Amino acid sequence: MGVRTALDEVLTAPAIIDAMRAADDLAFEAARDPGARTIRLLHRVARGEDELAAIAATHALAGMLDEEASRVLVDLMADEREFEREHAAWALGSGLPRHEAVGALLGMVVAGGFAGMLAQRTLEQWSGFAPAPLVAGVEGALLGIDDPAPRARLVETLGLVRDRLATAPLVRLASDRHEPEPVRIAAIAALGQRSDPIAVTSTLETIAADGGFPASVARLALVDLAADEPIRRRRGGSGATVAQLFLHADIDSGMTTAGAGDNGGIATLLVRLGDALVRDPDTGVDRVITLSRGSVTAALDDLVSVEASERGHGYGRIPLLHDPVPASEAWPLRVATRRGIRRILRAAGGVDVLHLRMADVGSLAAADVARELGTPVVFTLAPDPHAVIDSLDRSGRLGRGDFGRVDRAEHFWFRTRMVHRLAADAAHTVLFPRPHLEEDLRRLVGVDLASDTARRTIVPEGVDADAIDRAIAEAEAHRDEAEASPALGELRGLVEALAPERRGLPLILTVGRLHRVKGMASLVEAWATSSVASRANLLIVGGDLASPSADEREQLARIDAIVPVAERAQRGLLLPGHRSNDVVARWLGGARLGVPGAVAPGGVYVCASLKEEFGIALLEAMAAGLFVVGPDGGGPATYVEHGETGILTATWDVVRLASALEEAVAMVQGESDGRRVERSRRMVRERFTVQRMAEALGGVYRTAVRDEAGLLESADRAR
């Protein structure tokens, strides 16, 4: 193709997503022709006004493995544009160390954020080749910085240098009681990664005996010091051990935090799925370990239980050593996340398969651990963020001229590259069903489903239909004058707190995180501005109202601007916050069948998400027999029959969403029998239960384990 032709394809691609894919060809051609002309051409484009092409040129320079190309990347670290400095820092990690760039990279580490994570990652990749300049650079930087947070980030970076040169300063910082606690914590955690454990064991034991938070971290570090020993495999049965991860949730067997912060449908799914995998002997899975964030104390307790377990569904908490933050802001927690994942997998005696689902810092860290431990990965592949990029491009809200600046906030380039890397490295990829799956993956992601079909499987997500059935039975019994369950009693109490004229109306119900992607504020606006507002109350289940995150505060502020708190009771808006999955199931039953004297039967469920790859909450509502409103793209279109079991609409458009609400309420009120209800419930029961999902994934896991064993046998024969 040639560099010039490849560059022209980037510059003239009809869509942003096409240009991003063309950037791979540009990098390939630049690596084939690493001459002075190529470097001058790419340098000029990297300095140009087309921000998308500038990023593509920067990464093409990184693949050239040329001294002059590396010098250009170092020069780009001084570019006035922040996005260009960020991508140059990332790109430098592909080559050999550049001592003149260490200072600028450490400056980015000090500043923190996503760019700081990229800079730290590059310095870590260099540290094995040139530890001395990095240790000297960090120690020099520490002399001029007193602020605990950036100082702690520098110490964490020092801890990534495995050379003995870093041990003495880490011991000194960990032991210094005058250092701010975040700095000591960073040093203590890093001591657990040393290759010279004898020199640090006594330090950690002394700190562990002192008590307090540093002592707990020291106990974790002592566990890490034993990591040089080979993993002791345990096999209590013939089945596989599977680890599954969602970092940004506090996952427990009771799903008590569902709907708070980032604890969305994926957290609920992993609990139900893990239980189903170990319950059904046909899946071939004996043990599931679900990993999520948690406290240091919980992490220490989990290590004991995980190490002792041979069967069943257990949980492993990953201590982030930091207050919880939204997923979009969690990238700087990469190092703590990686250490926590490695610690749990080693305590488990290794796992046979690690299942990853998100293009986030959890998967980034987990993929590193999987490579280190030789663990095969199963990856759930979806066109995300590809579909978002394409949608913004088509709507005119994202263009070449501002791509870099938008990318600084959304990290589109990094996340798409991460999806491609995870899919390429995975032993097996899992796909969600969607109406145009093959076309979408080819156009958006560049994946041809017709190739390598043996390593790709379409698996629908599923819900616990039995739990929904039990909830429906409770609602039916209460309708027939049995005493209300605690959950239905709570729902009654919520409605009775409304104005008298609002009691006895049907419910419009939605469940999920209070996040802009979930469209909660947009739903309130659509309901409040439609005729439905006078005929149905709106119940929004989700969010941590006692201690809301930044995303939750944003949605609550928007909701309050539409329906002020003082007017909620009069206008019929209910915001009780998050509830457990079992309570939600009973409220779904109450919304459909009614709660005598409080809620009229014939409610409607609404998912107002801007995007929904599949939609677990929608399926739960349909399993309860509710008529639903959902987005007309992504997964819901594969199971919602428009005009029959629900309404599919452009949920991002408040006017169209309001129209869909009016149509849905009218259709339910016009029903004369239960045929539609039974149709929805039967569809879920036959196609979308968590038990069916477990059966399908069990086959995927068995295939991944078998293929990995075959690969190792082939490698042994080739010796």
Side-chain angles (χ1 to χ4, degrees):
M1 178 185 292
V3 172
R4 180 72 253 185
T5 302
L7 180 58
D8 285 343
E9 292 205 355
V10 172
L11 294 168
T12 62
I16 287 175
I17 205 73
D18 296 328
M20 293 177 73
R21 281 208 310 279
D24 293 334
D25 292 331
L26 176 60
F28 177 76
E29 294 299 334
R32 291 179 61 211
D33 183 16
R37 176 178 175 273
T38 298
I39 294 170
R40 286 197 304 270
L41 184 62
L42 293 175
H43 192 186
R44 181 174 300 176
V45 174
R47 295 283 195 184
E49 295 182 358
D50 186 328
E51 296 182 358
L52 177 63
I55 293 172
T58 300
H59 289 283
L61 284 164
M64 296 177 69
L65 300 179
D66 178 272
E67 177 73 13
E68 181 58 31
S70 294
R71 277 198 289 269
V72 170
L73 286 174
V74 174
D75 289 344
L76 290 173
M77 286 286 295
D79 195 286
E80 62 183 10
R81 299 166 300 177
E82 289 182 287
F83 80 85
E84 184 58 48
R85 298 198 298 273
E86 181 177 294
H87 282 273
W90 171 13
L92 278 167
S94 300
L96 293 174
R98 302 292 307 191
H99 295 172
E100 67 270 36
V102 169
L105 290 168
L106 286 174
M108 294 176 74
V109 171
V110 167
F114 181 77
M117 181 276 289
L118 292 177
Q120 186 188 67
R121 194 162 168 256
T122 289
L123 290 170
E124 180 181 11
Q125 289 164 330
W126 286 357
S127 65
F129 298 97
L134 182 51
V135 171
V138 171
E139 291 199 278
L142 286 170
L143 293 175
I145 295 175
D146 296 323
D147 189 343
R151 192 170 174 83
R153 288 192 288 271
L154 285 171
V155 173
E156 181 181 73
T157 305
L158 179 63
L160 298 176
V161 181
R162 292 300 186 97
D163 192 275
R164 291 172 181 266
L165 282 171
T167 301
L170 287 171
V171 167
R172 184 181 68 252
L173 290 159
S175 304
D176 188 349
R177 297 177 185 275
H178 298 293
E179 283 284 355
E181 185 171 90
V183 179
R184 289 194 69 206
I185 293 301
I188 293 166
L191 287 175
Q193 316 299 311
R194 306 318 300 160
S195 57
D196 45 348
I198 295 176
V200 300
T201 299
S202 61
T203 299
L204 290 174
E205 288 176 344
T206 300
I207 296 170
D210 286 345
F213 187 55
S216 297
V217 177
R219 285 193 285 274
L220 284 176
L222 285 167
V223 172
D224 292 338
L225 276 179
D228 286 339
E229 300 174 4
I231 293 178
R232 291 173 292 179
R233 297 274 178 180
R234 292 186 305 282
R235 287 291 178 267
S238 59
T241 292
V242 175
Q244 53 181 6
L245 166 71
F246 181 57
L247 181 68
H248 315 288
D250 306 289
I251 303 180
D252 61 89
S253 58
M255 296 169 282
T256 55
T257 58
D262 285 325
N263 293 275
I266 181 65
T268 299
L269 174 68
L270 294 188
V271 174
R272 300 291 195 198
L273 175 61
D275 291 346
L277 281 165
V278 298
R279 188 181 299 126
D280 183 354
D282 292 336
T283 64
V285 176
D286 280 347
R287 182 169 60 152
V288 172
I289 303 170
T290 297
L291 286 68
S292 66
R293 71 189 180 198
S295 68
V296 172
T297 301
L300 285 164
D301 292 341
D302 288 344
L303 289 175
V304 175
S305 59
V306 165
E307 189 169 13
S309 70
E310 293 183 347
R311 296 177 182 272
H313 184 188
Y315 297 84
R317 248 68 62 156
I318 300 166
L320 302 179
L321 309 182
H322 191 284
D323 292 335
V325 295
S328 60
E329 300 173 18
W331 296 98
L333 305 179
R334 177 185 68 99
V335 174
T337 301
R338 187 173 63 192
R339 290 171 180 163
I341 294 171
R342 181 195 294 117
R343 190 181 298 125
I344 295 167
L345 297 192
R346 291 188 63 87
V351 300
D352 297 292
V353 175
L354 174 61
H355 193 152
L356 304 178
R357 290 175 166 87
M358 316 289 288
D360 67 352
V361 69
S363 293
L364 177 66
D368 285 348
V369 176
R371 281 191 289 272
E372 175 190 336
L373 301 182
T375 303
V377 168
V378 169
F379 179 57
T380 295
L381 172 63
D384 181 23
H386 310 71
V388 176
I389 297 168
D390 194 53
S391 176
L392 292 173
D393 185 14
R394 290 171 180 268
S395 68
R397 289 182 287 169
L398 178 65
R400 291 171 168 275
D402 67 349
F403 180 88
R405 283 163 286 175
V406 174
D407 186 66
R408 281 204 71 238
E410 301 294 343
H411 320 311
F412 284 145
W413 197 280
F414 188 87
R415 288 162 58 203
T416 55
R417 291 302 184 267
M418 185 176 164
V419 168
H420 297 161
R421 175 70 183 271
L422 287 169
D425 290 348
H428 206 98
T429 52
V430 172
L431 307 144
F432 292 130
R434 50 194 294 150
H436 308 292
L437 176 62
E438 188 170 351
E439 176 188 338
D440 287 349
L441 285 179
R442 183 184 300 111
R443 184 176 66 86
L444 297 175
V445 189
V447 170
D448 183 3
L449 284 187
S451 66
D452 203 8
T453 55
R455 293 176 58 237
R456 298 192 178 103
T457 304
I458 298 173
V459 180
E461 290 187 342
V463 302
D464 189 343
D466 292 338
I468 298 291
D469 287 347
R470 290 192 295 270
I472 293 298
E474 283 188 14
E476 288 174 337
H478 182 49
R479 182 191 59 187
D480 296 337
E481 301 186 350
E483 184 177 350
S485 66
L488 289 177
E490 183 185 8
L491 180 58
R492 176 189 294 279
L494 289 171
V495 175
E496 287 178 346
L498 297 176
E501 63 271 19
R502 304 296 309 188
R503 301 167 197 165
L505 296 178
L507 282 177
I508 293 174
L509 171 64
T510 190
V511 181
R513 296 177 294 126
L514 292 184
H515 190 282
R516 63 187 183 280
V517 172
K518 295 299 180 182
M520 296 301 195
S522 297
L523 173 58
V524 173
E525 183 179 357
W527 166 77
T529 57
S530 72
S531 63
V532 170
S534 63
R535 294 182 284 128
N537 296 319
L538 176 60
L539 172 59
I540 295 178
V541 185
D544 185 349
L545 304 187
S547 182
S549 66
D551 289 325
E552 290 170 333
R553 289 195 299 272
E554 184 269 338
Q555 286 292 288
L556 288 169
R558 285 188 57 195
I559 290 170
D560 291 346
I562 301 163
V563 180
V565 175
E567 298 178 15
R568 288 180 187 174
Q570 190 66 40
R571 296 174 65 176
L573 176 61
L574 297 164
L575 275 80
H578 69 93
R579 291 296 186 275
S580 71
N581 191 251
D582 286 339
V583 169
V584 168
R586 283 152 179 80
W587 287 6
L588 292 171
R592 193 196 111 207
L593 296 168
V595 178
V599 178
V604 169
Y605 184 88
V606 181
C607 170
S609 298
L610 300 181
K611 68 179 186 69
E612 199 66 65
E613 292 300 335
F614 202 69
I616 286 293
L618 262 175
L619 276 174
E620 289 180 329
M622 296 183 75
L626 284 166
F627 192 86
V628 302
V629 174
D632 57 4
T638 64
Y639 53 80
V640 176
E641 296 179 71
H642 181 69
E644 298 292 336
T645 59
I647 302 293
L648 296 172
T649 189
T651 46
W652 51 268
D653 186 320
V654 171
V655 174
R656 292 166 71 177
L657 180 57
S659 177
L661 293 181
E662 294 171 352
E663 185 179 356
V665 170
M667 291 184 71
V668 173
Q669 291 177 347
E671 290 179 342
S672 58
D673 56 44
R675 285 182 294 178
R676 191 270 311 159
V677 169
E678 182 55 34
R679 187 173 182 171
S680 289
R681 285 170 55 76
R682 185 174 60 250
M683 181 273 300
V684 176
R685 173 68 70 177
E686 292 177 354
R687 298 171 53 196
F688 297 112
T689 64
V690 73
Q691 291 80 13
R692 286 182 175 272
M693 183 183 184
E695 290 173 7
L697 284 178
V700 169
Y701 299 149
R702 289 194 301 273
T703 298
V705 171
R706 183 195 64 217
D707 290 351
E708 182 72 9
L711 191 64
L712 293 175
E713 288 176 6
S714 298
D716 288 340
R717 287 195 299 269
R719 286 183 178 180

